[in-house]
């Protein structure tokens, strides 16, 4: 499938995500097992050695993720176009839900939060950035939820579009 050609972008963003890191660090490496476990910090070197140093690519992968959000938004806009005019089908709704979940996951990321307000030392001198930082901070509290919702929405959206393109199902038109 041609989709495998672009998989590196979203894959790198998810693989280096802090939310997922916690899960696979503890699951695969047991490092750190927990913050209060005695002796756990002695063998834990952080992300200073290979392959963990590659986790630092997350901030750069975020920029690629934003590009993919823009492309998926454009696809969702085009989903309103039917051969006989402008309409909305179930597929259009599914595509928009997918975009919203992916945007929630991408823009609730700590990298976005840092970009919007992380370099500001005095928020009273940048009230717009402070407001944006506070909004993204509230989104960031639900980053794990967005991670799971977007993961499943991508799979289900791709499956729905694949079944439509193969003629297995027909898209129901809402209007």
């Amino acid at each position: 499938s041609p989709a495998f050609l672009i998989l590196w972008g979203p894959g790198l963003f998810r693989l280096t995500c802090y939310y997922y890191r916690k899960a696979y660090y503890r699951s695969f490496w047991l490092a750190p097992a927990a913050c209060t476990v005695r002796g756990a910090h002695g063998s834990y070197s952080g992300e200073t050695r290979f392959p963990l140093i590659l986790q630092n690519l997350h901030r750069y992968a975020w920029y690629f993720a934003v590009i993919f959000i823009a492309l998926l938004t454009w696809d969702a806009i085009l989903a309103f176009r039917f051969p006989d005019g402008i309409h909305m089908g179930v597929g259009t709704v599914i595509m928009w839900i997918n975009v919203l979940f992916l945007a929630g996951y991408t823009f609730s990321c700590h990298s976005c939060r840092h970009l919007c307000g992380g370099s500001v030392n005095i928020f009273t001198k940048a009230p717009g950035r402070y407001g944006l930082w506070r909004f993204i901070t509230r989104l960031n509290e639900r980053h794990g939820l967005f991670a799971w919702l977007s993961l499943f929405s991508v799979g289900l959206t791709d499956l729905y579009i694949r079944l439509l393109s193969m003629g297995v199902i027909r898209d129901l038109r809402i209007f």
Side-chain angles (χ1 to χ4, degrees), residues 46-57:
E47 297 169 351
T48 59
R49 288 188 245 157
F50 186 81
L52 298 181
I53 198 163
L54 296 176
Q55 298 292 359
N56 295 319
L57 293 173

Side-chain angles (χ1 to χ4, degrees), residues 74 76-87 92:
W74 181 250
I77 290 169
L78 293 178
F80 287 104
R81 294 177 49 198
F82 284 78
D84 60 339
I86 304 292
H87 298 286
T92 309

Side-chain angles (χ1 to χ4, degrees), residues 2-175:
F4 286 113
L5 297 175
I6 61 113
L7 195 56
W8 63 270
L12 183 64
F13 184 62
R14 284 204 189 260
L15 186 65
T16 58
C17 174
Y18 278 119
Y19 176 74
Y20 289 122
R21 284 187 214 184
K22 180 178 87 173
Y24 62 76
Y25 277 17
R26 291 180 180 171
S27 299
F28 298 119
W29 293 299
L30 296 176
C35 294
T36 60
V37 174
R38 188 183 310 242
H41 298 287
S43 63
Y44 179 66
S45 63
E47 297 169 351
T48 59
R49 288 188 245 157
F50 186 81
L52 298 181
I53 198 163
L54 296 176
Q55 298 292 359
N56 295 319
L57 293 173
H58 185 68
R59 288 183 193 252
Y60 304 105
W62 182 82
Y63 292 106
F64 287 110
V66 171
I67 292 169
F68 285 108
I69 295 298
L71 293 172
L72 289 171
T73 301
W74 181 250
D75 283 345
I77 290 169
L78 293 178
F80 287 104
R81 294 177 49 198
F82 284 78
D84 60 339
I86 304 292
H87 298 286
M88 181 192 287
V90 172
T92 309
V93 173
I94 289 172
M95 289 178 73
W96 276 104
I97 289 171
N98 184 46
V99 167
L100 290 175
F101 286 160
L102 283 168
Y105 173 62
T106 303
F107 294 112
S108 69
C109 176
H110 75 283
S111 294
C112 181
R113 185 172 170 251
H114 176 76
L115 182 70
C116 293
S119 62
V120 176
N121 291 329
I122 303 171
F123 277 126
T124 56
K125 292 185 179 181
R129 287 186 67 186
Y130 176 64
L132 186 58
W133 179 82
R134 283 188 46 180
F135 174 74
I136 293 171
T137 298
R138 285 193 298 273
L139 279 179
N140 185 258
E141 294 169 356
R142 293 168 185 82
H143 187 61
L145 176 65
F146 284 122
W148 286 106
L149 289 174
S150 65
L151 188 66
F152 288 113
S153 75
V154 166
L156 294 175
T157 302
D158 286 349
L159 177 65
Y160 188 82
I161 292 171
R162 177 83 172 185
L163 293 175
L164 284 175
S165 68
M166 292 171 50
V168 174
I169 60 173
R170 289 183 45 124
D171 193 27
L172 299 173
R173 192 172 289 180
I174 298 171
F175 69 84

